[in-house]
Amino acid sequence: MPTLFTKIINREIPAEIVYEDDLALAFRDISPQAPTHVLVIPKKEIASLDDLEDGDAELIGHLFLVVRNVASQLELADGYRTVINCGRDGGQTVDHIHIHLLAGRPLTWPPG
Ligand code: AMP
């Protein structure tokens, strides 16, 4: 059963894609929590941080390089925050690991 995000990868669901390569996709969140809110995902279906395997280390590193590249592309010179929610208490709602990239306003700490 493909995840919601795999359907976006396969263009079965529309999304505003800002970056794509062989391993990763970045697209704008449908319910933005900041002026810029992008999700960076691997094309490989990994449900959550808990489901990472040792062999995924390079892929996860690549996702953060994508974050860096997207931040540069979108000119987020004032800074940004990355968030990975995991599990119920972490607030994860889509079981396909994703990095939230939030920017465009001062972000408060601690998060809610
Ligand atoms: P999380 O709650 O960390 O699992 O994040 C899932 C994110 O996916 C939420 O911020 C949603 O707004 C976002 N989302 C859900 N459906 C879509 C969609 N079709 N296109 C873009 N973003 C989506």
Side-chain angles (χ1 to χ4, degrees):
M1 188 67 178
T3 69
L4 173 67
F5 289 170
T6 293
K7 290 180 180 172
I8 289 177
I9 293 167
N10 294 334
R11 299 339 196 238
E12 292 163 16
I13 292 177
E16 190 181 338
I17 292 167
V18 297
Y19 176 86
E20 181 170 25
D21 63 27
D22 288 347
L23 299 174
L25 189 74
F27 54 94
R28 293 193 188 271
D29 197 292
I30 203 168
S31 177
Q33 301 303 309
T36 296
H37 188 172
V38 168
L39 301 175
V40 176
I41 67 169
K43 289 188 172 177
K44 178 181 177 184
E45 284 188 351
I46 300 169
S48 77
L49 281 175
D50 278 342
D51 298 286
L52 284 175
E53 298 169 352
D54 292 351
D56 294 321
E58 198 169 327
L59 174 60
I60 292 302
H62 178 71
L63 295 182
F64 281 97
L65 293 177
V66 170
V67 168
R68 179 201 64 187
N69 293 347
V70 169
S72 172
Q73 177 187 325
L74 299 181
E75 300 180 338
L76 306 180
D78 289 339
Y80 53 88
R81 180 172 295 166
T82 55
V83 174
I84 303 176
N85 296 324
C86 182
R88 187 185 57 198
D89 280 0
Q92 184 174 5
T93 59
V94 177
D95 291 335
H96 185 137
I97 195 169
H98 47 281
I99 304 173
H100 295 261
L101 168 57
L102 298 143
R105 65 172 171 83
L107 296 160
T108 57
W109 192 263

